[in-house]
Amino acid sequence: MKKTPDPIDRHVGSRVRMQRILMKMSQEKLGEALGLTFQQVQKYEKGLNRIGASRLQQISKTLNVPPSFFFEGAPSLSTEPVGFAEGSSSQYVVDFLSTAEGLHLNRAFARIKDPKIRKRVLDLVSTLADQEASEG
């Protein structure tokens, strides 16, 4: 039976991936900087292997962020019910932003300075998403 990754480990790994991609660094380059193989970096990013404290410190220095960065927006360990504004929808955003597509889209959108054009892009994306949802 396969063990599923812990949600915190997945979150920390996705934040490592997001920052690595933002810095335009390959898994191989990050691995070299840490004395690891790219496969080990891959396992960290997927949350399959837990990142120890000293390794997280090394990664934070290499990626130029504080260790706390990797826990921002992490799933709560609390058993109390979560409000409507949090939970799976925020995790979806974090998951999307940790993909190459999400980062590329976010970077390109942020470069658009004209608010009217930004609004038109949002309208276009919303229309396309609504159209796809009604077809599927």
Side-chain angles (χ1 to χ4, degrees):
M1 179 160 65
K2 283 189 176 180
K3 184 180 163 199
T4 59
D6 182 277
I8 300 289
D9 294 332
R10 285 187 61 220
H11 179 81
V12 169
S14 74
R15 299 283 289 180
V16 169
R17 177 177 167 78
M18 180 175 71
Q19 185 63 21
R20 177 184 60 74
I21 291 171
L22 275 172
M23 294 183 70
K24 298 181 180 180
M25 182 184 289
S26 68
Q27 288 177 331
E28 188 175 2
K29 288 289 182 198
L30 179 57
E32 285 174 15
L34 301 171
L36 302 170
T37 64
F38 81 90
Q39 291 97 332
Q40 183 63 43
V41 171
Q42 225 171 27
K43 288 179 180 181
Y44 283 155
E45 289 183 356
K46 291 179 180 178
L48 298 174
N49 286 6
R50 182 167 289 161
I51 303 172
S54 59
R55 178 74 71 203
L56 192 64
Q57 182 71 29
Q58 255 187 314
I59 293 170
S60 73
K61 284 182 181 177
T62 304
L63 296 179
N64 214 17
V65 292
S68 60
F69 167 84
F70 301 109
F71 297 96
E72 291 172 8
S76 174
L77 296 177
S78 170
T79 55
E80 295 176 26
V82 182
F84 286 112
E86 297 181 22
S88 63
S89 64
S90 63
Q91 187 59 45
Y92 172 78
V93 171
V94 169
D95 289 346
F96 175 69
L97 287 176
S98 65
T99 66
E101 273 182 337
L103 288 168
H104 185 72
L105 180 64
N106 196 30
R107 218 183 265 132
F109 186 78
R111 288 195 321 259
I112 301 170
K113 301 297 179 215
D114 186 332
K116 289 179 184 177
I117 294 174
R118 288 171 74 116
K119 171 82 169 88
R120 288 173 55 199
V121 169
L122 285 173
D123 290 344
L124 172 65
V125 172
S126 294
T127 300
L128 290 172
D130 291 345
Q131 183 179 6
E132 186 177 278
S134 67
E135 290 173 2

